[in-house]
Amino acid sequence: MKRELSRRNFLKSSGAIAAGVLASQVMPLAAAQGDLPFEVAPEAVNPLGLEAGANVEGIFFEGGFGRSYIDNAADIFRALHPENEMTVEGIQQVSEILRPRFIAGNPPDVIDNSGAFHIPMDSLVADEQLTDLAPLMAAPALDTPGKTFGETLFPNSQADGVFDGRQLYLNIAYTVSGIWHSQTLFDDMGWQYPSTWAGMLDLCETIKSAGIAPWTYQGKFPQYMVFGCLMHLVYKTGGIQAIKDIDNLVDDAWKSDAVMQAITMMHQLADLGYIMPGTEGLTHTESQAEWLQGNAAFIPCGTWLENEMRELTPAGFDMVIKPVPGPDESSYHSLVAWPGEPYIVPVNAANVVGGMEFMRCMLSKANAQFFAKEISAIMPVFGGSEGVELSSALQSALEAAEAANGGFNYLSRGWYSDLWTAVKNATGELLTNRVSPEQFADTVQAAADEVKADDDIPKYTHA
Amino acid sequence: MTKRKWHIILPFTLPSLLLFLVFLVYPYGQAMYISLTKWRGLTPKPTFVGFANFEKLLGDTLFWNALKHNLIYLVSIPVITIVISLYLAFLLTHGKARFRKFYRIAFFFPQVMSLVAIGVLWSFIYHPTIGVLSSIAGMLGAADPIAWLGNPDLALGAVGAVVVWQAVGFYVVLFMAGMDSIPESYYEAATIDGATRWHLFWQITLPLLWDTIRTALVFLAIGATNMFAITQTMTQGGPNRSTDVLSTYVYERAFLSGKFGYATAVAVAMFLLAFALSILTMRATRRETLEY
Amino acid sequence: MAAEQSERRPREFVSQSLINISLFFWAVIVILPLVWLLYSSFKTDQEIFFAPWALPQTLQWENFERAWVAVHIGQYFLNSMKVVIPSLALTLALASMTSYVLARFQFFGNRTLFYLFMAGMLFPIFMALVPLFFLAKDLQLLNTFTGLTLVYTAYSLPFTIFFLTGFFKTLPSELHEAALIDGANEYQVFFRVMLPLAQPGLVTMAIFNFLGMWNQFILPLVLMTERDNYVLPQGLSFILHQQYYKTDWSALFAALSIIMIPTLLVYAVFQNQIQKGVTVGALKG
């Protein structure tokens, strides 16, 4: 499972330039398959053996991505299997609505288990509620001839869904996180994005003296600084081993020199007064609006920022994402690559095969292109942005991801929700100078120890 | 008499009781059983663990932290709300103010706003840079913008203030209804004797309104033991758990951590506490009702 | 009136000013937010965020159109009415009968019954969601307006009974006895004498329950899972949760305004009822 995403593959995936890309969209239809806009090889039509007449019920979290891409995938499914009906329902309160269905033993066949009210994945895994997707991963891909479904997905993009060697969920969105700024503002002021953390602090001083707050963050949700800054710094000071130690609940992992250094680096922003006063009282939208107004120069976020703030973005703002600078230039490029929007197929579903078959349509190249074009977001599918004109923000994100060779991820976020709640809270305290880096490490380490000692929480390993 | 009495008691209570038993007591009873189990809320068979959850609860600092906030609310919100409401209701009833009818309608406005609206509205009022309160603080000489909901020392009070702001309208209407039903002749007699409004309030209004105030106290106390919706809308218990209350903690443990057994144990503890407090409040404030 | 005021002593004048200022002050802090919400629903997102207190530059009527189309407000509005009106009627009918008996009759189990109902207010509803779902399912009430009506009523009963019991206790017992002596039976006493007297209390509870039911979000969540049957708060929640990922605050504000107006109207109507009710109540004494 240690395949790194090669630079080459990434170029292919982002490949707005690939020749003949439009061909896939104007190909003549395959004989049997109704309205499909692409050809399907005979062995890829029904590799999982979906029985005619077995209907598929899908219930999906309907959030920022909307539901058009789900409907599009369902349309592909219906064209592929005219004998099977497929229902699509969008909901928000996933946990409240679907728990009774799980308890009753008749969950829907496929679920987008996302949003603020999703069912914790660790619970679903611990209670053996999820289907091992191995047959799906090994099945031929729908519209990438000669490849299995699994081979069409970005390597590592599904690593967090692997529990004890079983693929239990699939991320359908691929985001990277880092630090955002307005290129226009930087050009106007003659500022250069720094390549080291020392350079970052210097630039912050310059920005501050220009009368702008250097940083803001999504105050009431300090976790943005965790995935948008802290974990990057941990990787840059301690390498992937420091990340794995945290994921694997190694004793005193949070107190290691490397992690302490990373915490201290982030704390400098607060200590030196580089964070916009009042930030801690803002929501994510409010802080991002402040940033768009030019009241702060930097903000951490994932690639969804552009779509999220579309209505509020002033013309010519030109937002770009950059990696968090590390202690030295050699570590500049790495960043957190964050696959998200996980889909599951419940093991007790009436039509497990149908659920998996729908996922083949969901993560097809055609649907990925629809996703890129209509939602301005990326699916972790090779060829998913072929023929699609990307926005500058998305383009900069793909470039950053490419330079980072796909980026890294920390996995325990989905395993130990209590630990990451503690990290979030402690980060808020650290960035408002209410605790020192040492106290931060003590608090978080105590939470990690508590998780480790709790026999009710199943443990996993980041290998 | 006795036999005839049951002719009205049974048909008048049984329908309510039936609905209540079926849709409240039965599901609540089932939920309470969960407090004796280990359950992630996904399978039909919880594992029975006896009182283990309750034992764990005693040593859970997050539970005590949330409880402390409930108690702070419990002491402050009812008192402040009732004082303001009584004051306004009395002014409207006996203050000879203009636009009485207008005020009476206006004060009720916050009650008709949905919680979503209130959450959105107050996040703008509490906004550190563009918020109204920060502008006022700035005019008074505060150097830095105040992060009302971002500062653990201020957030609890900030949330509580919104509750008071919203609740006052209802209690003004309630107290006015009570005050209006006190016969005018009492006041006339006292006024002739030279009593000021202040005297009227203490000597006539307050004693005759005691039942209503008692009711208000219990309503508000019950509200203060809950506080779920407003906290969830405004802070989700943050920053750093400084506005956690029992109900949000129950919700977090159940739906976000997937510990339904433990969460229900907290809910049961919360229930017992609220029940004891309500009875206590009613006992403590019970007096001979004044007949008039 | 003017002459009377001029004759007042200075102290009286000061206190009269204090009265007017107090009332005016509170009116401002409750009305301005409402006004702000209303005019903000005519603004663009940029205006809402970058100049939150300013008036709209041009009126954005399409915010309402978006709210109407995206949230299906009209449909959900009707659904809400279909649940709230019968629930309200049922709640008031059942609760007033039960409260009357609890307040006026000494019988074995009276206190127990009262405390039992009271206990019903104190448990967090969301913990009962799962059992409630299975109950509704077994009774074939899932996704039905009847089911939701029964559940809304059941959950409104404890508070309403609690309040009305207190209210009936404050009513003079002489009328009750007088009516009985006049030869009325207990039912007639209740419906013809006590219920009209209880009108202020009933109106208070009608308003209180209307607001609670109109804004009820948790119960329909698991009991009304088909989109065609959604009630208003579910629609609102839909648009609110979209805010987390895609800013369309102007549509949210418009939706909030659309939802708020009927509640305001209902209150304005009941406002008169309160006056009438109070007049009836004033008979006593």
Side-chain angles (χ1 to χ4, degrees):
Chain A
M1 273 314 289
K2 272 224 66 188
R3 285 172 301 171
E4 292 281 303
L5 182 54
S6 82
R7 196 180 167 86
R8 190 122 167 231
N9 282 341
F10 232 95
L11 271 176
K12 259 202 275 172
S13 74
S14 61
I17 29 141
V21 284
L22 286 172
S24 64
Q25 283 168 343
V26 292
M27 280 288 212
L29 310 179
Q33 269 59 56
D35 302 323
L36 280 181
F38 50 83
E39 203 166 2
V40 180
E43 73 274 14
V45 171
N46 191 7
L48 296 167
L50 177 66
E51 283 173 33
N55 297 338
V56 179
E57 182 195 12
I59 298 189
F60 306 93
F61 169 70
E62 189 177 340
F65 294 140
R67 66 177 278 160
S68 61
Y69 78 98
I70 307 172
D71 285 325
N72 190 61
D75 286 342
I76 295 174
F77 177 91
R78 292 180 190 118
L80 191 63
H81 302 289
E83 309 278 286
N84 303 72
E85 277 172 35
M86 162 100 209
T87 58
V88 172
E89 197 189 333
I91 58 172
Q92 276 83 43
Q93 315 279 110
V94 178
S95 182
E96 282 94 333
I97 294 172
L98 289 182
R99 269 177 198 284
R101 303 268 319 253
F102 274 96
I103 297 166
N106 70 335
D109 305 314
V110 55
I111 300 168
D112 175 354
N113 184 28
S114 310
F117 308 99
H118 66 273
I119 305 175
M121 283 294 182
D122 40 0
S123 297
L124 287 165
V125 174
D127 275 344
E128 298 287 341
Q129 292 293 319
L130 303 180
T131 303
D132 182 352
L133 301 172
L136 170 64
M137 299 302 277
L142 186 64
D143 53 355
T144 306
K147 300 259 187 193
T148 66
F149 173 79
E151 284 165 354
T152 62
L153 306 178
F154 294 177
N156 278 348
S157 68
Q158 309 299 344
D160 56 332
V162 176
F163 293 80
D164 297 332
R166 295 169 305 155
Q167 187 78 48
L168 297 181
Y169 63 80
L170 286 172
N171 298 300
I172 67 102
Y174 184 79
T175 62
V176 293
S177 61
I179 302 174
W180 294 77
H181 67 266
S182 158
Q183 194 56 50
T184 313
L185 175 71
F186 273 49
D187 290 346
D188 288 351
M189 304 298 283
W191 296 333
Q192 276 287 319
Y193 190 80
S195 55
T196 64
W197 191 254
M200 166 60 81
L201 297 180
D202 286 345
L203 179 58
C204 283
E205 198 55 46
T206 312
I207 294 172
K208 199 178 176 187
S209 57
I212 299 175
W215 274 72
T216 189
Y217 65 90
Q218 292 77 349
K220 285 160 92 179
F221 307 104
Q223 61 266 38
Y224 281 73
M225 279 300 270
V226 179
F227 65 73
C229 180
L230 179 64
M231 296 314 287
H232 300 249
L233 291 172
V234 168
Y235 184 85
K236 285 164 201 233
T237 54
I240 191 68
Q241 194 55 45
I243 299 284
K244 285 179 181 173
D245 287 351
I246 287 173
D247 280 346
N248 295 336
L249 301 174
V250 169
D251 286 335
D252 280 340
W254 287 92
K255 293 183 170 182
S256 72
D257 290 344
V259 176
M260 276 310 298
Q261 191 193 344
I263 298 168
T264 310
M265 283 161 78
M266 183 173 77
H267 179 242
Q268 285 169 325
L269 295 177
D271 201 31
L272 299 171
Y274 293 153
I275 296 175
M276 187 180 81
T279 288
E280 67 271 25
L282 300 172
T283 65
H284 59 310
T285 325
E286 288 164 354
S287 61
Q288 290 160 11
E290 292 281 317
W291 172 72
L292 287 173
Q293 275 184 291
N295 294 335
F298 295 117
I299 194 163
C301 201
T303 26
W304 59 82
L305 179 66
E306 183 195 18
N307 200 41
E308 183 173 78
M309 301 308 286
R310 201 178 290 281
E311 297 295 319
L312 291 184
T313 309
F317 187 82
D318 207 5
M319 60 172 79
V320 287
I321 184 172
K322 295 284 179 189
V324 182
D328 54 57
E329 287 186 22
S330 65
S331 60
Y332 171 77
H333 285 297
S334 58
L335 43 68
V336 172
W338 195 347
E341 201 81 5
Y343 275 56
I344 54 176
V345 178
V347 74
N348 293 327
N351 190 358
V352 168
V353 170
M356 291 200 278
E357 182 62 10
F358 173 75
M359 288 312 295
R360 231 163 48 93
C361 304
M362 170 56 71
L363 285 168
S364 64
K365 199 157 77 175
N367 200 42
Q369 287 165 354
F370 180 91
F371 199 60
K373 187 160 159 256
E374 301 295 327
I375 324 285
S376 291
I378 297 291
M379 281 191 180
V381 176
F382 287 119
S385 53
E386 275 172 18
V388 180
E389 199 178 320
L390 299 171
S391 69
S392 64
L394 207 53
Q395 192 62 50
S396 75
L398 275 167
E399 276 163 18
E402 200 180 293
N405 216 3
F408 67 94
N409 193 10
Y410 56 107
L411 305 180
S412 58
R413 221 177 43 241
W415 302 342
Y416 315 125
S417 39
D418 291 354
L419 169 62
W420 291 97
T421 304
V423 176
K424 174 195 88 172
N425 284 331
T427 301
E429 297 284 279
L430 185 74
L431 293 174
T432 48
N433 283 318
R434 301 175 71 91
V435 299
S436 66
E438 289 73 23
Q439 286 168 312
F440 174 97
D442 286 344
T443 310
V444 171
Q445 188 58 51
D449 292 345
E450 204 171 308
V451 168
K452 194 174 182 176
D454 190 340
D455 293 334
D456 293 345
I457 303 174
K459 305 299 186 303
Y460 303 97
T461 308
H462 184 165
Chain B
M1 179 66 194
T2 320
K3 209 171 161 217
R4 219 179 62 192
K5 195 170 77 174
W6 288 102
H7 277 187
I8 185 163
I9 290 171
L10 290 179
F12 272 34
T13 50
L14 284 183
S16 302
L17 193 60
L18 184 73
L19 267 185
F20 180 77
L21 290 176
V22 172
F23 289 105
L24 260 93
V25 176
Y26 173 71
Y28 281 178
Q30 279 200 320
M32 284 184 179
Y33 166 73
I34 303 293
S35 70
L36 305 175
T37 67
K38 193 153 84 182
W39 192 44
R40 294 194 187 87
L42 288 169
T43 51
K45 287 218 169 22
T47 319
F48 186 80
V49 294
F51 286 93
N53 289 326
F54 290 92
E55 278 166 37
K56 206 164 101 190
L57 186 135
L58 294 176
D60 181 353
T61 50
L62 297 182
F63 165 75
W64 293 108
N65 172 59
L67 177 61
K68 186 181 83 190
H69 298 146
N70 273 121
L71 292 177
I72 293 173
Y73 281 141
L74 192 66
V75 174
S76 57
I77 290 178
V79 173
I80 297 171
T81 308
I82 287 179
V83 168
I84 297 177
S85 312
L86 270 178
Y87 177 66
L88 294 174
F90 187 70
L91 294 191
L92 281 178
T93 317
H94 299 289
K96 300 191 174 69
R98 292 172 190 187
F99 317 119
R100 269 192 60 183
K101 205 168 173 187
F102 165 75
Y103 285 133
R104 171 186 269 220
I105 295 179
F107 288 177
F108 203 75
F109 279 176
Q111 287 286 329
V112 307
M113 293 177 86
S114 68
L115 267 169
V116 176
I118 289 173
V120 171
L121 166 73
W122 281 84
S123 79
F124 277 96
I125 294 178
Y126 283 140
H127 196 294
T129 57
I130 51 179
V132 175
L133 282 172
S134 289
S135 310
I136 295 172
M139 281 189 281
L140 297 177
D144 271 345
I146 301 170
W148 299 96
L149 296 175
N151 183 334
D153 300 328
L154 300 177
L156 194 72
V159 174
V162 177
V163 175
V164 172
W165 171 83
Q166 206 224 356
V168 160
F170 180 76
Y171 293 98
V172 168
V173 171
L174 186 66
F175 290 149
M176 278 180 75
M179 287 177 188
D180 276 342
S181 62
I182 298 171
E184 197 59 36
S185 53
Y186 287 36
Y187 291 104
E188 280 158 15
T191 316
I192 290 165
D193 291 345
T196 61
R197 286 202 190 92
W198 186 245
H199 287 125
L200 295 182
F201 176 77
W202 283 103
Q203 289 170 2
I204 300 174
T205 310
L206 203 58
L208 290 178
L209 212 60
W210 189 247
D211 264 341
T212 316
I213 294 173
R214 195 165 73 105
T215 312
L217 212 55
V218 179
F219 284 10
L220 284 161
I222 289 168
T225 55
N226 189 346
M227 296 290 290
F228 177 72
I230 191 77
T231 308
Q232 200 68 7
T233 314
M234 294 191 66
T235 63
Q236 293 93 41
N240 195 23
R241 301 197 174 277
S242 61
T243 57
D244 252 359
V245 284
L246 288 176
S247 53
T248 54
Y249 186 56
V250 170
Y251 184 87
E252 180 193 328
R253 280 285 164 265
F255 289 97
L256 305 183
S257 315
K259 293 178 177 167
F260 269 73
Y262 185 66
T264 315
V266 178
V268 169
M270 172 182 154
F271 165 79
L272 293 175
L273 206 76
F275 193 57
L277 272 170
S278 314
I279 292 181
L280 214 67
T281 319
M282 298 218 296
R283 287 273 153 85
T285 54
R286 179 178 293 167
R287 302 195 325 197
E288 276 305 302
T289 307
L290 289 166
E291 285 290 340
Y292 49 90
Chain C
M1 193 65 192
E4 192 188 303
Q5 256 175 8
S6 62
E7 282 164 26
R8 280 190 189 150
R9 286 165 295 153
R11 193 164 151 253
E12 187 80 347
F13 176 73
V14 170
S15 81
Q16 191 61 43
S17 305
L18 188 69
I19 288 168
N20 285 318
I21 289 169
S22 303
L23 292 171
F24 182 74
F25 173 75
W26 194 262
V28 165
I29 67 170
V30 295
I31 292 173
L32 279 190
L34 194 81
V35 173
W36 174 79
L37 195 75
L38 286 175
Y39 76 68
S40 292
S41 56
F42 289 99
K43 293 165 80 169
T44 64
D45 279 348
Q46 298 224 4
E47 288 174 319
I48 290 174
F49 264 86
F50 298 155
W53 311 107
L55 289 169
Q57 302 263 328
T58 48
L59 297 183
Q60 308 286 328
W61 286 101
E62 61 270 26
N63 293 345
F64 287 87
E65 199 183 306
R66 244 181 8 263
W68 192 265
V69 173
V71 190
H72 305 286
I73 293 253
Q75 167 84 51
Y76 299 159
F77 187 91
L78 274 180
N79 289 345
S80 273
M81 300 282 265
K82 272 197 249 175
V83 181
V84 170
I85 291 175
S87 304
L88 208 52
L90 196 58
T91 302
L92 289 179
L94 293 180
S96 60
M97 296 193 300
T98 307
S99 315
Y100 172 67
V101 166
L102 287 177
R104 287 287 162 180
F105 293 85
Q106 296 296 324
F107 60 93
F108 177 76
N110 182 319
R111 294 311 287 167
T112 318
L113 206 54
F114 179 74
Y115 284 124
L116 182 69
F117 278 121
M118 205 179 84
M121 290 185 275
L122 305 175
F123 199 71
I125 295 185
F126 53 81
M127 293 312 293
L129 285 184
V130 169
L132 205 55
F133 171 87
F134 286 104
L135 181 69
K137 196 170 154 233
D138 292 344
L139 298 175
Q140 310 271 317
L141 291 173
L142 216 53
N143 269 313
T144 65
F145 289 104
T146 316
L148 206 54
T149 299
L150 291 176
V151 172
Y152 274 22
T153 305
Y155 281 80
S156 308
L157 280 177
F159 184 82
T160 315
I161 289 175
F162 176 73
F163 179 89
L164 288 179
T165 303
F167 197 87
F168 276 114
K169 277 189 180 160
T170 65
L171 295 182
S173 51
E174 295 84 357
L175 283 175
H176 178 203
E177 281 148 24
L180 283 179
I181 291 162
D182 286 351
N185 66 34
E186 287 286 0
Y187 299 106
Q188 288 166 328
V189 174
F190 174 72
F191 288 107
R192 297 206 186 137
V193 182
M194 300 314 280
L195 215 48
L197 280 180
Q199 203 177 340
L202 289 175
V203 170
T204 309
M205 277 302 98
I207 296 169
F208 191 89
N209 282 318
F210 175 82
L211 293 170
M213 292 170 181
W214 194 252
N215 292 320
Q216 177 59 256
F217 171 64
I218 292 180
L219 292 172
L221 200 61
V222 295
L223 300 176
M224 278 297 192
T225 53
E226 279 167 22
R227 184 154 285 185
D228 287 347
N229 290 347
Y230 273 11
V231 291
L232 267 182
Q234 287 173 291
L236 200 60
S237 153
F238 174 81
I239 196 170
L240 178 73
H241 287 114
Q242 287 219 320
Q243 305 315 311
Y244 293 142
Y245 311 93
K246 205 177 90 196
T247 40
D248 190 1
W249 290 86
S250 44
L252 174 68
F253 278 55
L256 289 172
S257 298
I258 296 174
I259 292 169
M260 207 161 51
I261 289 161
T263 37
L264 273 177
L265 287 179
V266 165
Y267 176 66
V269 170
F270 272 111
Q271 175 64 26
N272 289 330
Q273 288 294 109
I274 289 184
Q275 306 279 16
K276 268 191 240 157
V278 168
T279 326
V280 176
L283 280 177
K284 64 191 174 174

